[in-house]
Amino acid sequence: DHASGLRTIRPVSYQETDNRFRTVNDANGMGRALMEHCDPANPVYRQAAGSCIAFAEGTVTPEQARAEFIQALTSAGVLVREN
């Protein structure tokens, strides 16, 4: 069941705190990171959130969801490392 959030992307690590990076590789992890680190009023956040939902539903490619996720975190000033 693809709607369960089991679809995965290539892992992305982002800086969660000064000393810790977190790695995400699915829609649930991406959505949580977006909510914690981004401004919901930012159009880049809204695009990434929509893409994350569409990815979980199977209507957006993993690479598109991943790219928009990285763009949203970067625009929020979060350090991202592509693994």
Side-chain angles (χ1 to χ4, degrees):
D1 178 18
H2 287 304
S4 66
L6 297 177
R7 302 184 75 221
T8 59
I9 61 165
R10 286 187 297 119
V12 176
S13 296
Y14 65 92
Q15 190 168 17
E16 188 173 54
T17 66
D18 283 347
N19 308 332
R20 186 173 64 208
F21 277 77
R22 178 177 295 273
T23 301
V24 296
N25 71 342
D26 63 16
N28 292 337
M30 288 191 294
R32 194 167 20 262
L34 289 171
M35 289 188 297
E36 289 174 4
H37 297 284
C38 299
D39 176 358
N42 185 332
V44 178
Y45 162 83
R46 289 199 300 270
Q47 177 68 38
S51 183
C52 190
I53 292 166
F55 168 66
E57 293 172 346
T59 58
V60 164
T61 67
E63 285 305 307
Q64 180 180 338
R66 184 179 189 274
E68 291 178 1
F69 170 70
I70 290 168
Q71 185 176 12
L73 284 186
T74 301
S75 76
V78 176
L79 181 61
V80 175
R81 291 197 298 224
E82 297 190 52
N83 297 343

